[in-house]
């Protein structure tokens, strides 16, 4: 590599494809999301190497520049990458550049597995997320009732994080990063939810803490989680549920 010139994505791909120890190349980030790349977007590339193999490309692990970030890891490490974790969504929506595993389908299969939560895993996580969502929602509505508008807005914004985590977990999917939320929902809507109305609602809740909108969304969430077998989590809140439910009409597109 010319030390005077930074390594380019195309050059690296060419070198990796020519290396028999490389079983997969995976591109993640904006470059893997159609329509999301800008002039500032770099290439985030995983180089997956056969277990036990050695390659000069390992020296590039951790390379970071304005145009190229590189992660080199053995296949065993890639199998576990992001499972679970912050990286899981990035890999679930990553793009396969090279697949030499299992006849040319193995890397793609691993990415697909990262995009689908195990049913038991999802149920356990959904219960914890529901409780966290209810906690932030309750605090927001209590602060709104008690004349604490700033605290109400801050708690409402906190609740959106847990709400989105919960909704994606109920669908057994990793939650997208905020940058990709609209991209994800436009292409892969959450079952039963109107994407435009949901995005409008979470935007309104985050910015204003609107109590009526929060209650309308909660009404829809309550119906969903009870169908999913998580009613006991809400029932544990006892009489506090009445504050969460309140007296309000449904928010368009998020009816229970």
């Amino acid at each position: 590599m010319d030390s005077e010139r930074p390594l380019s994505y195309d050059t690296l791909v060419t070198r990796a494809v020519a290396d028999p120890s490389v079983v997969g190349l995976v591109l993640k980030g904006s470059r893997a999301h159609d329509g999301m790349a800008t002039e500032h977007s770099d290439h985030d590339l995983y180089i997956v190497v056969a277990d036990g193999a050695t390659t000069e490309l390992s020296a590039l692990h951790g390379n970071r520049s304005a145009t190229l970030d590189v992660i080199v890891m053995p296949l065993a490490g890639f199998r576990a990458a992001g499972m679970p974790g912050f990286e899981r969504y990035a890999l679930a929506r990553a793009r396969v550049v090279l697949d030499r595993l299992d006849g040319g389908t193995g890397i793609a299969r691993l990415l697909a597995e990262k995009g689908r939560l195990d049913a038991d895993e999802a149920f356990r996580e959904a219960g914890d997320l529901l409780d966290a969502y209810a906690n932030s929602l309750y605090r927001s509505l209590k602060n709104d009732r008690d004349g604490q508008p700033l605290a109400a807005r801050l708690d409402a914004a906190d609740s959106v994080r847990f709400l989105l985590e919960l909704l994606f977990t109920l669908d057994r999917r990793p939650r997208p990063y905020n940058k990709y939320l609209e991209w994800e929902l436009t292409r892969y809507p959450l079952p039963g939810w109107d994407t435009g109305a949901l995005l409008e609602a979470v935007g309104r809740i985050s910015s204003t803490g609107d109590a009526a909108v929060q209650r309308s969304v909660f009404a829809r969430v309550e119906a969903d989680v009870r169908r999913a077998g998580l009613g006991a989590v809400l029932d544990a809140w006892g009489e506090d549920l009445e504050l969460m439910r309140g007296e309000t009409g449904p928010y368009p597109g998020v009816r229970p």
Side-chain angles (χ1 to χ4, degrees), residues 139-186:
R139 289 176 181 274
S140 176
L141 294 173
K142 184 171 67 171
N143 285 322
D144 178 74
R145 179 198 64 192
D146 295 343
Q148 299 287 338
L150 176 58
R153 290 197 301 272
L154 292 173
D155 285 322
D158 286 345
S159 78
V160 168
R161 169 196 165 193
F162 297 116
L163 168 65
L164 292 173
E165 292 273 6
L166 172 62
L167 295 183
F168 278 96
T169 299
L170 287 172
D171 197 34
R172 296 175 56 188
R173 293 155 59 184
R175 177 195 161 178
Y177 308 145
N178 292 332
K179 177 179 181 179
Y180 302 122
L181 180 62
E182 292 187 51
W183 185 97
E184 178 76 15
L185 289 177
T186 299

Side-chain angles (χ1 to χ4, degrees), residues 12 15 30 61 69-70 83 91 121 155 181 184 191 196 220:
L12 178 55
R15 288 178 58 186
S30 298
H61 177 69
D69 291 351
V70 182
M83 299 287 280
L91 289 170
E121 171 192 11
D155 285 322
L181 180 62
E184 178 76 15
R220 169 61 197 274

Side-chain angles (χ1 to χ4, degrees), residues 117-128:
L117 278 63
D118 175 83
D120 291 337
E121 171 192 11
F123 185 82
R124 290 192 303 271
E125 291 186 5
D128 291 339

Side-chain angles (χ1 to χ4, degrees), residues 229-243:
L230 294 166
V233 176
L234 291 181
D235 292 338
W237 281 82
E239 294 181 357
D240 291 337
L241 276 175
E242 297 308 312
L243 181 64

